[in-house]
Amino acid sequence: MKKIWVLSAAVLAALSAPLAEASLNLPNPIEVDAGPLGKIGVQGVASAFGYYQSNYGLKADSGFTKSEGADISNGMAIVQKSTGPIQFYVQAGAYNFPTLSVPFASTGSVTSTDFGALPIAYLKYAPTADFSIEIGKLPTLIGAESGFTYQNFNIQRGLLWNVEPIVSRGVQVNYSAGPISASVSWNDGYYSNRYNWVSGLLSYTIDGSNSVSVYGGGNLGNAGGATTNSYSNANITDGADDSDIYGLIYTYSAGPLTIEPYLQYMYLPAQPQFGITRSSDNWGAAVLANYNINKVYSVGGRIEYLAADGTPSDGSNAGAVTGFGNGAAAWSFTVTPTYQCHDYFLRGELSYVKAVRLAPDSGFGVSGKFDGQFRLMAETGFLF
């Protein structure tokens, strides 16, 4: 109980402050002279989080999750060369992906079973300012939220993010002309090591405050057999790696306010070998927002809704990708006040997830009888 009270005090301290920028602001890279490589930039993130949650349940691997806990959220170094025709980006270290409604896993487990200690690493050829080609381990083009905690308004990722890929291995081509920018990638989707996915992102800047983006991706073949990567294994057996996914994002950013609503649709074909006996789809809608009170304090928020087709009793396992099953839906609310002073940050978070149309005993808690879960979180650390 002492841990809970300490964590609650940290969150309430952040909430009571006069509510730093949209997501956390990394300082400018430290420039290092690398001889024949020229100038390279070095950055890093060192942070930890703690949590308390209601209606905790079975862990994904074994045993039980706890009602409270703490772990490292980011322990990473970033080395990059962003000038000249030959560039690169390397991000190495430990990380975690805390996500609404998903049981917490240790940072050591996430790092070793998802993308390893080198989650992002690619070489970039940029002959002009408007055209480039990247090859390596690339962040996804899909969705409105990024993978790592420090890149987002909120500590936890959302329900829509949870059905999207995070990192893919492949090749990506980028091009921009005036207000239009486009990226197309040939990759392995949900890190399946089978290079049969195509994804793309097209953005149009309307003016200084408004922009719109569309994204899409899909498997041109099928995921086939299993892979040694547990992140990919999970996304093969629930059908995600054989899916098609599309989305529309609108962004308004002026002065201290950023608002970003987006819509997403996902289609999954039948996969009888994994118990998915019929095709299915899910759709979602979310609004992300951030308000900067001043240069030190801000508050971020997110509301969202995600629903799968079918009925809980049809036994097809088609809605497994959403985490709630066939015919189920869920909505969530998250608020995240943030304090950032130079290289130090502290933020608290309150979130709630409510599921509806669940199959019996498939909800939250050890018994699966609860349809809601709230979490109280705090994250603190240094950016350099």
Side-chain angles (χ1 to χ4, degrees), residues 8-336:
S8 300
V11 174
L12 289 173
L15 286 168
S16 62
L19 291 177
E21 303 281 335
S23 73
L24 299 172
N25 300 311
L26 282 171
N28 292 328
I30 300 170
E31 283 200 343
V32 177
D33 190 342
L37 293 178
K39 298 287 187 179
I40 63 173
V42 179
Q43 295 172 293
V45 183
S47 62
F49 70 93
Y51 68 88
Y52 169 78
Q53 60 181 341
S54 68
N55 299 334
Y56 58 95
L58 287 170
K59 234 180 139 174
D61 47 9
S62 63
F64 294 87
T65 56
K66 301 179 294 183
S67 60
E68 76 283 343
D71 211 328
I72 294 170
S73 53
N74 300 283
M76 291 185 291
I78 301 167
V79 180
Q80 60 184 310
K81 185 177 187 298
S82 56
T83 59
I86 304 298
Q87 305 175 16
F88 64 83
Y89 182 97
V90 176
Q91 187 165 342
Y95 51 90
N96 206 316
F97 300 121
T99 307
L100 294 179
S101 82
V102 176
F104 287 99
S106 71
T107 297
S109 174
V110 171
T111 302
S112 63
T113 61
D114 282 10
F115 311 113
L118 195 67
I120 307 291
Y122 58 86
L123 184 66
K124 182 176 181 179
Y125 174 58
T128 71
D130 300 326
F131 177 80
S132 64
I133 301 174
E134 301 169 355
I135 182 169
K137 298 173 70 171
L138 304 166
T140 184
L141 298 173
I142 304 298
E145 293 185 276
S146 300
F148 304 107
T149 62
Y150 70 90
Q151 296 174 318
N152 297 277
F153 298 153
N154 308 111
I155 302 172
Q156 297 175 91
R157 307 286 62 72
L159 303 177
L160 275 66
W161 178 90
N162 193 40
V163 303
E164 303 162 359
I166 308 172
V167 174
S168 302
R169 291 167 287 201
V171 178
Q172 180 174 310
V173 177
N174 309 297
Y175 177 75
S176 62
I180 298 175
S181 62
S183 297
V184 178
S185 175
W186 180 276
N187 56 67
D188 68 345
Y190 290 79
Y191 213 69
S192 68
N193 206 29
R194 292 174 64 91
Y195 295 87
N196 50 15
W197 253 72
V198 174
S199 56
L201 173 66
L202 178 65
S203 300
Y204 177 71
T205 301
I206 301 169
D207 55 34
S209 300
N210 300 274
S211 64
V212 62
S213 301
V214 292
Y215 60 83
N219 197 321
L220 301 183
N222 59 72
T227 164
T228 57
N229 181 272
S230 65
Y231 166 78
S232 187
N233 280 339
N235 286 281
I236 287 174
T237 56
D238 68 15
D241 201 74
D242 287 301
S243 69
D244 297 323
I245 186 168
Y246 309 96
L248 173 65
I249 305 171
Y250 166 73
T251 303
Y252 171 82
S253 183
L257 179 64
T258 298
I259 301 177
E260 192 170 53
Y262 80 109
L263 302 172
Q264 182 169 281
Y265 169 77
M266 184 179 194
Y267 169 80
L268 298 91
Q271 296 287 301
Q273 68 270 37
F274 300 124
I276 304 173
T277 56
R278 67 168 177 84
S279 63
S280 67
D281 55 26
N282 66 77
W283 65 272
V287 179
L288 314 175
N290 191 80
Y291 187 76
N292 297 318
I293 301 299
N294 52 36
K295 293 182 179 181
V296 178
Y297 297 100
S298 70
V299 59
R302 176 184 56 222
I303 56 173
E304 57 184 342
Y305 179 83
L306 179 67
D309 73 344
T311 61
S313 61
D314 72 15
S316 69
N317 199 36
V321 67
T322 66
F324 298 99
N326 302 332
W331 62 266
S332 75
F333 170 78
T334 307
V335 60
T336 309

